[in-house]
């Protein structure tokens, strides 16, 4: 993309109403614009990152055999009466009446709708195991929406639901989700720690939240520092292998790691003192096993091998897709702006032309741009007639992890400059080497 | 995908409430399930086609230089008061009050929101031309929703908006959209004819609707039969070239083609009698140029080259993404089910194992499946223990354009059978040739 043809409405001033750094940077970098309280338009740059995150979530869910579908945003109130949650849910549920005065709501989650659907279609254990998921906009009418997309009212979430014959199968689904989540967050450059959580209004005994450590996090967290040494990495795993998934689950959840909701001082004190950490975290996902509660209420029964009708064992598993943009920025920025991890960067690299209008510099930039594009990369070429300082500031603010700087002086020696946004280190090399370097960085991502 | 691990809830019986063939087939093929009146869940197969259509729309819009973003589903009523449409829009607008009693609505379209946003960010002609678009769920509270996704209440639409300094530039944007739409529909295997249309509540003098001919169409259409000989094909076009875009527009709109809303009997009678056609059509898109109406109301002004503040010239351009599934099926099916065009098929081909459990047949199917998958194709392998007749009926119903049938008898002679869903013709060939054939069919798609 050539910046002269893009829509990147950068703000020069710090917006007064933004209290946390990710909100401030997303506004300043032209990623979002508030349209009403807690409701945002995703400007082109923000939308691009949102799609990347969404794609990673899709890929990792499907790798584990989970099946994508899409449920609507609006739901009938009747379904929620069946589960008893229509009245239980407070004013955070956005209730709507249509032209025929039928009661509806903007879905804050989808347990009722999907359980009703599965009850309708699935009658036998032969159709199991089954895990369906979707990525859809949800609404939660927060009293005081704030922190930008971190606590918005209209937000994008992946929610997945497993349907199994037995508790054992459903716990395998639970573990499988835990593994996919570890992979998902790591691909986004995040360390998200599974912590024992409170099951809240969804119910159930088994639940873990995934938290990204960040000073601005909304939750206080308590953990054994050993846990931050763990990484899933690029292990191959067979998602059908119950033992393998269980053992990953144990590896990542056996150490003490809890939010303030489940924190237990006595147990924490059993952790050697030098490893006890108290910090803040941002919740980016949660997994639940809640047994047969919803299937019983919604009538989701199947015949088992003995011909008896039994309720399905279920769990639900969420990733806060739109909120992840905020979490990534909270975890990865500096005074000059955002620093995107390579896995989610909106453009693979920036190209800065130091002397727009200079025939040689323009030609070298065009050639770089064309070569990178032909290789399947998506560079952002700042081809505006602006001073070098302004171009650098823009690139730093929007946070592309790599920048190639092209100017007449370097070209005389046959070199361009490749700069890492994270370290600030620059290296001179030929344009061909620069292309090879970018290609090597993104190999396998 | 192995069918034994997929979720494809096929209906054996014709659903009683579905009046038109696409609705019936989408329900029977397990693509959608109604969750409340005019609101559908997209089951895995339906979601897969929806995403393919969405991706084609994205690719073709971006090819023309239009920039993707995403606006929210819920909007503030205040914006619509500014344009005067809050009161003008009837009961089809779903009006909502949030917990603070603020008036909101579920957006049926986005002229107000985007114009307000552009007014906020764009101050100079130097930022123009600019075309932004999004693909987002919309809501229209139809009195009697029907025909499945063809006239649902919650529906997915691509809507794009151009912002230009002059009428001439805006008409170029209009023509550019017409060209992208021709390409878009052809990639989906559809012939969509641009017809002179009525501008309705959006206003403006220039507007064309795109209609797909189908007996079940909601509109009566009148056209010169020469128009159905036209095709855009794989022409290369420079979308910046005003003359080239204008000439495509003239080529495709100079002949008589109108819906009943704009039909003029006298003009129609000037078409030679043997070329006059009266038929029915399904609307799948519409383009508008409406000048400065919205920009004046919403205050979207820019400085021109002379330093004067002038209102932006605008147009809006829509494609009915979810409704397209219905339109494609109406245009492409037979008594046995759907016939997907290759451009949008949910799976590239089906693999039918005639003797599940037979070592040789299972091995040959696995090998075919793995080879096709390794080449980047997405086959659906019916690996269920079912009779051949049932497997064929399922494949015909869900409409994959190509089927590879594998059985012990053929394998003895080293062959499998490749069958075209459209023609019903079968050809025997080696598994390697079958793979090469599938690869050749999808080359360049």
């Amino acid at each position: 993309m050539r910046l002269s043809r893009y829509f990147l409405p950068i703000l020069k001033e710090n917006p007064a109403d933004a209290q946390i750094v990710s909100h401030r940077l997303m506004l300043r970098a032209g990623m979002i614009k508030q349209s009403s309280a807690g409701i945002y338009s995703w400007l082109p740059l923000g939308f691009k990152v949102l799609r990347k995150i969404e794609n990673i979530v899709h890929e990792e869910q499907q790798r584990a055999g989970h099946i994508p579908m899409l449920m609507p945003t609006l739901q009938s109130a009747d379904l929620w009466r069946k589960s008893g949650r229509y009245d239980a849910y407070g004013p955070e549920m956005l209730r709507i009446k249509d032209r025929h005065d039928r009661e509806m709501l903007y879905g804050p989650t989808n347990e009722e709708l999907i359980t009703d659907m599965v009850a309708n279609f699935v009658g036998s254990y032969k159709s199991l195991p089954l895990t369906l998921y979707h990525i859809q906009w949800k609404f939660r009418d927060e009293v005081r929406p704030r922190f930008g997309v971190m606590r918005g009212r209209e937000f994008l979430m992946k929610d997945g639901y497993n349907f199994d014959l037995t508790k054992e199968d459903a716990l395998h689904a639970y573990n499988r989700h835990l593994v996919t989540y570890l992979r998902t967050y790591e691909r986004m450059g995040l360390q998200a720690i599974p912590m024992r959580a409170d099951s809240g209004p969804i119910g159930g005994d088994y639940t873990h939240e995934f938290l990204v450590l960040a000073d601005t996090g909304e939750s206080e967290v308590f953990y054994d520092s050993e846990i931050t040494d763990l990484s899933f990495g690029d292990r191959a795993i067979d998602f059908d292998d119950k033992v393998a998934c269980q053992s990953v689950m144990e590896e990542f959840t056996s150490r003490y790691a809890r939010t303030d909701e489940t924190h237990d001082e006595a147990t924490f004190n059993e952790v050697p003192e030098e490893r006890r950490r108290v910090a803040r975290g941002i919740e980016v996902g949660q997994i639940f096993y809640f047994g047969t509660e919803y299937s019983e209420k919604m009538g989701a029964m199947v015949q088992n091998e003995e011909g008896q009708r039994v309720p399905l064992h279920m769990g639900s598993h969420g990733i806060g897709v739109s909120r992840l943009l905020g979490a990534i920025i909270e975890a990865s920025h500096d005074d000059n702006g955002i620093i995107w991890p390579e896995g989610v960067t909106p453009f693979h690299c920036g190209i800065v032309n130091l002397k727009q209008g200079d025939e040689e510099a323009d030609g070298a930039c065009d050639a770089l741009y064309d070569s990178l594009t032909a290789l399947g990369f998506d560079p952002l070429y700042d081809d505006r007639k602006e001073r070098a300082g302004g171009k650098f500031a823009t690139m730093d603010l929007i946070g592309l992890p790599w920048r190639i700087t092209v100017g007449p002086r370097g070209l005389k020696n046959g070199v361009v400059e490749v700069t890492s946004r994270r370290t600030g280190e620059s290296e001179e090399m030929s344009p061909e080497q620069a292309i090879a370097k970018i290609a090597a960085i993104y190999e396998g991502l």
Side-chain angles (χ1 to χ4, degrees), chain A:
Chain A
M1 179 59 67
R2 286 163 196 273
L3 192 42
S4 64
R5 308 192 67 151
Y6 201 50
F7 182 63
L8 184 70
I10 298 259
L11 303 185
K12 296 247 163 67
E13 305 295 322
N14 258 328
D17 52 333
Q19 297 167 43
I20 61 169
V21 67
S22 60
H23 188 192
R24 210 151 52 224
L25 287 174
M26 287 181 80
L27 290 170
R28 283 199 53 212
M31 294 180 68
I32 52 170
K33 181 179 188 314
Q34 179 170 301
S35 75
S36 45
I39 304 181
Y40 290 86
S41 285
W42 296 78
L43 304 181
L45 193 75
F47 176 63
K48 225 159 179 299
V49 180
L50 190 69
R51 283 293 279 223
K52 290 229 171 169
I53 291 176
E54 216 183 315
N55 284 340
I56 290 174
V57 173
H58 270 302
E59 283 176 22
E60 294 304 327
Q61 288 308 301
Q62 290 174 50
R63 191 192 303 275
H66 305 162
I67 306 173
M69 61 170 299
L70 190 62
M71 287 173 272
T73 61
L74 297 197
Q75 305 180 18
S76 140
D78 291 343
L79 275 179
W80 287 69
R81 291 216 175 82
K82 227 167 156 178
S83 74
R85 286 208 290 181
Y86 190 66
D87 296 323
Y89 233 99
E92 290 197 356
M93 179 184 276
L94 188 67
R95 294 156 210 257
I96 301 171
K97 278 191 182 165
D98 73 7
R99 67 190 291 169
H100 301 298
D101 256 349
R102 282 178 296 216
E103 286 176 286
M104 308 180 68
L105 56 98
Y106 200 121
T109 176
N110 287 62
E111 280 80 8
E112 285 78 0
L113 191 49
I114 198 154
T115 309
D116 179 65
M117 192 195 79
V118 167
N120 204 280
F121 287 127
V122 175
S124 156
Y125 72 94
K126 290 179 196 163
S127 305
L128 307 176
L130 177 64
T131 294
L132 295 162
Y133 77 92
H134 74 159
I135 301 179
Q136 179 61 294
W137 292 92
K138 314 243 172 346
F139 202 90
R140 212 154 39 200
D141 202 358
E142 302 265 357
V143 187
R144 273 180 299 281
R146 60 205 147 133
F147 303 154
V149 301
M150 296 272 277
R151 196 174 276 266
R153 297 199 291 166
E154 186 170 329
F155 60 100
L156 188 61
M157 194 170 127
K158 171 256 158 184
D159 41 325
Y161 304 88
N162 68 286
F163 300 91
D164 288 282
L165 183 61
T166 63
K167 179 172 180 181
E168 186 202 332
D169 288 350
L171 288 179
H172 172 51
Y174 185 87
N175 296 338
R176 208 170 54 226
H177 278 90
L178 185 137
V179 178
T180 67
Y181 282 26
L182 292 172
R183 281 189 63 106
T184 301
Y185 296 124
E186 285 189 15
R187 281 186 63 185
M188 298 176 190
L190 286 178
Q191 180 170 50
I193 303 169
M195 300 197 179
R196 188 187 291 193
D198 186 39
S199 62
I202 302 230
D205 296 332
Y206 295 77
T207 176
H208 280 92
E209 273 181 333
F210 287 76
L211 284 109
V212 173
L213 300 178
D215 296 339
T216 49
E218 73 272 55
S219 317
E220 190 165 25
V221 297
F222 305 83
Y223 62 95
D224 178 339
S225 69
E226 276 192 356
I227 215 165
T228 54
D229 298 331
L230 298 174
S231 109
F232 187 79
D234 54 2
R235 308 181 205 182
I237 188 159
D238 175 358
F239 283 100
D240 290 339
D241 184 335
K242 290 188 177 175
V243 175
C245 291
Q246 168 87 18
S247 111
V248 172
M249 193 276 279
E250 282 165 10
E251 176 186 348
F252 281 83
T253 62
S254 59
R255 290 173 188 79
Y256 192 92
R258 300 197 188 176
T259 64
D260 43 11
E261 286 173 337
T262 56
H263 178 56
D264 177 72
E265 200 66 28
T267 320
F268 189 48
N269 285 337
E270 290 166 21
V271 178
E273 193 173 356
E274 70 280 11
R275 292 189 349 224
R276 272 181 238 151
R277 298 284 183 280
V278 181
R280 302 202 71 83
I282 300 168
E283 191 208 326
V284 291
Q286 188 158 6
I287 55 177
F288 297 94
Y289 161 72
F290 45 69
T292 59
E293 189 196 331
Y294 287 92
S295 47
E296 283 173 31
K297 284 181 179 156
M298 310 299 293
M301 314 283 282
V302 292
Q303 284 215 327
N304 65 14
E305 292 186 58
E306 289 78 41
Q308 299 157 322
R309 273 170 62 80
V310 294
L312 288 164
H313 285 260
M314 287 179 58
S316 69
H317 315 276
I319 291 180
V321 173
S322 48
R323 127 177 293 235
L324 268 167
L325 277 96
I328 293 169
I329 296 173
E330 291 294 334
S332 185
H333 67 270
D334 64 15
D335 288 347
N336 297 324
I338 301 163
I339 307 173
W340 291 116
E342 276 81 358
V344 298
T345 182
F347 295 96
H348 294 103
C349 65
I351 301 174
V352 166
N353 187 340
L354 292 178
K355 202 169 177 188
Q356 209 69 43
D358 174 273
E359 202 176 322
E360 209 191 348
D362 290 2
C365 287
D366 285 342
L368 260 176
Y369 182 81
D370 292 342
S371 302
L372 285 163
T373 306
L375 289 169
F377 295 106
D378 192 6
L380 180 68
Y381 169 23
D382 191 343
D383 60 345
R384 298 170 304 163
K385 290 217 161 136
E386 237 201 64
R387 285 177 314 106
K391 291 188 175 185
F392 289 149
T394 297
M395 285 291 175
D396 283 354
L397 175 61
I398 68 172
L400 308 188
W402 297 92
R403 185 185 80 210
I404 307 178
T405 308
V406 180
R409 206 176 310 168
L411 290 175
K412 281 214 173 64
N413 304 316
V415 298
V416 298
E417 197 181 63
V418 177
T419 307
S420 158
R421 173 71 181 85
R422 191 168 295 277
T423 66
E425 280 164 27
S426 291
E427 222 184 321
E428 291 195 335
M429 58 187 80
S430 71
E432 294 70 36
Q433 286 170 323
I435 292 166
K437 185 177 172 94
I438 298 296
I441 289 164
Y442 287 101
E443 207 187 326
L445 274 188

